Amino acid sequence: MLLSLAQWLQTLSPEFAMFRVFQYLTFRAVMAAMTALLIGLLAGPYVIRRLTELKIGQPIRGYGMESHLSKSGTPTMGGVLILLSISISTLLWFDLSNRFVWIVLLVTLGFGAIGWVDDWRKVVNKDPEGMRSREKYFWQSVIGLLAALYLVFSISENSNLKVLELFFDWVRSGFHVSLPPAAGLQLPFFKEVSYPLGVFGFVLMSYLVIVGASNAVNLTDGLDGLAIMPVVMVGSSLGVFAYVTGSAVYSKYLFFPHIAGSGELLIFCSAMAGAGLAFLWFNTYPAQVFMGDVGALALGAALGTIAVIVRQEIVLAIMGGIFVVEAISVMAQVMYFKYTKKRYGEGRRILKMAPLHHHFEKSGWKETQVVVRFWIITMLLCLLGLSTLKLR
């Protein structure tokens, strides 16, 4: 929005030449981060106060950690503050004609809406389980598949009109269209190595990445500050990849696929980092507010969508290793419990409690120890992921 205003002012008079700085992506990225940070810090106390007045408190599951019972009633749905900060800041600073930022925004808000309904049912209906899994996965799948179907054709095209034309060509050809190498699965640490996926393979993989990342972040969000800081670090790192793939010069030099328009995603990533840090101010131990599903589902979906656009799905799994391990710990626990119950008549557990962060709490780690150590691991994984920019 401000970019369009600056460009219009420059056409009126040479005196407004100073607004040329708005054309620089890096400048707008810094401003987006600062804007989201300020919005979050200023609006945070009001949002927390309103959530408290509305008695939107976090219900604690009866089978959860005993040490968490004191957190019952802490305001939840604080993810609204994050989404508000990201949306306002992004709309102010990004190029409104960029289709990639719009799709990431829509996916983020769509998953946020799912999380809102889930959190609302937990609070209003006093049901700690919230939205039932089948219903939640259905709506996640609808949004994830629509986003994946759009992205499979937009990676190689420069406008929505061409995306639509390519879609109709795909249908008329009997669902047979060759995708460019940029749409293949990119392997980190290898120069220009990509495996062709085809339209259906791309859509399936993108769907799994978007929905999987959303649920993985949601499962990780179980301790004060545990999920938001890794989101900030991984999102910031993906912003670097977006900047590289969006630049014809840098992408060629670093042997990355050039994806026109993807650089503008740096604005969204910067806004997400600023909003996340502002939320951490209130979410750090002892938390004044929880993000709830409205924040966790939305942020995870945003990370997944950005990773798909910049073709770094594998790197996302590396940098977001904490999210991956947390999700795997839950799946392994459930599967082993069901298997042993069927085989031996009694369910057994691999971990003392799932997700993984609760296992470490049960093992004697303090909550702050788990959180900070997971942060450190994420920082190291992000550095490893960023090293793939040059180590190829």
Side-chain angles (χ1 to χ4, degrees):
M1 184 180 296
L2 293 179
L3 175 62
S4 300
L5 178 61
Q7 292 172 338
W8 176 71
L9 289 175
Q10 290 177 59
T11 61
L12 297 180
S13 171
E15 297 179 358
F16 295 110
M18 58 181 147
F19 289 108
R20 289 177 182 173
V21 70
F22 283 75
Q23 298 176 2
Y24 292 99
L25 181 59
T26 50
F27 170 78
R28 288 185 286 118
V30 172
M31 296 306 296
M34 293 179 62
T35 302
L37 179 63
L38 288 175
I39 292 174
L41 291 176
L42 294 175
Y46 171 78
V47 171
I48 294 173
R49 190 164 54 249
R50 286 294 298 164
L51 292 174
T52 303
E53 292 172 355
L54 295 172
K55 301 185 185 303
I56 301 181
Q58 175 70 36
I60 304 297
R61 294 177 175 88
Y63 51 85
M65 292 287 298
E66 294 181 3
S67 60
H68 292 188
L69 295 177
S70 60
K71 299 183 180 184
S72 181
T74 301
T76 187
M77 298 179 72
V80 171
L81 176 63
I82 302 175
L83 298 185
L84 181 68
S85 302
I86 291 175
S87 300
I88 294 176
S89 179
T90 301
L91 289 172
L92 283 175
W93 294 105
F94 93 107
D95 182 355
L96 295 177
S97 65
N98 187 279
R99 64 194 188 283
F100 288 133
V101 178
W102 279 116
I103 191 64
V104 172
L105 263 177
L106 290 173
V107 170
T108 302
L109 296 177
F111 275 77
I114 297 172
W116 172 279
V117 174
D118 189 22
D119 287 334
W120 188 260
R121 290 183 183 179
K122 291 177 183 177
V123 175
V124 175
N125 299 336
K126 304 300 180 183
D127 180 6
E129 302 299 333
M131 184 184 293
R132 294 300 175 261
S133 297
R134 289 185 179 180
E135 183 182 2
K136 184 187 297 185
Y137 290 146
F138 170 77
W139 290 112
Q140 287 179 323
S141 298
V142 169
I143 299 174
L145 287 173
L146 288 176
L149 193 59
Y150 174 80
L151 291 176
V152 68
F153 299 115
S154 66
I155 294 296
S156 57
E157 298 297 340
N158 297 323
S159 68
N160 288 326
L161 181 59
K162 291 184 178 180
V163 170
L164 191 61
E165 290 177 357
L166 188 57
F167 172 77
F168 285 123
D169 290 342
W170 175 61
V171 175
R172 284 193 295 266
S173 66
F175 306 105
H176 292 288
V177 168
S178 297
L179 297 176
L185 179 62
Q186 307 293 319
L187 296 183
F189 301 109
F190 292 92
K191 293 181 180 180
E192 299 181 294
V193 175
S194 65
Y195 284 94
L197 297 171
V199 174
F200 289 108
F202 184 101
V203 170
L204 177 60
M205 185 191 66
S206 300
Y207 160 76
L208 292 175
V209 170
I210 295 172
V211 176
S214 176
N215 288 293
V217 173
N218 192 33
L219 290 171
T220 306
D221 183 35
L223 301 179
D224 298 351
L226 178 58
I228 190 61
M229 193 59 188
V231 165
V232 169
M233 289 189 281
V234 175
S236 300
S237 301
L238 285 175
V240 176
F241 284 98
Y243 185 72
V244 170
T245 57
S247 169
V249 176
Y250 291 146
S251 60
K252 182 179 180 180
Y253 174 72
L254 294 171
F255 299 100
F256 273 74
H258 173 54
I259 303 170
S262 63
E264 202 70 21
L265 288 171
L266 178 60
I267 305 299
F268 183 93
C269 292
S270 299
M272 182 163 56
L277 290 176
F279 181 76
L280 181 62
W281 184 272
F282 306 103
N283 185 238
T284 189
Y285 182 86
Q288 297 174 255
V289 64
F290 300 137
M291 73 166 73
D293 287 7
V294 62
L297 291 178
L299 293 175
L303 294 178
T305 307
I306 295 170
V308 169
I309 295 172
V310 300
R311 314 305 306 127
Q312 298 301 317
E313 297 91 344
I314 296 178
V315 172
L316 172 63
I318 294 174
M319 298 190 300
I322 289 297
F323 302 137
V324 174
V325 172
E326 291 272 39
I328 291 176
S329 70
V330 173
M331 291 188 291
Q333 184 88 323
V334 172
M335 291 173 63
Y336 186 72
F337 184 86
K338 291 182 177 180
Y339 168 76
T340 53
K341 187 173 183 179
K342 182 178 180 180
R343 184 176 179 85
Y344 304 109
E346 179 183 5
R348 301 175 185 177
R349 294 173 173 81
I350 301 175
L351 304 173
K352 294 181 179 179
M353 188 175 180
L356 185 62
H357 54 262
H358 288 322
H359 170 78
F360 287 117
E361 280 193 291
K362 287 280 190 180
S363 299
W365 290 18
K366 294 182 180 179
E367 179 174 347
T368 51
Q369 288 180 310
V370 178
V371 171
V372 174
R373 287 170 180 173
F374 276 35
W375 288 359
I376 295 172
I377 293 172
T378 301
M379 187 182 301
L380 295 174
L381 293 175
C382 285
L383 291 175
L384 177 61
L386 289 172
S387 71
T388 65
L389 285 168
K390 190 62 178 176
L391 299 178
R392 300 178 70 84

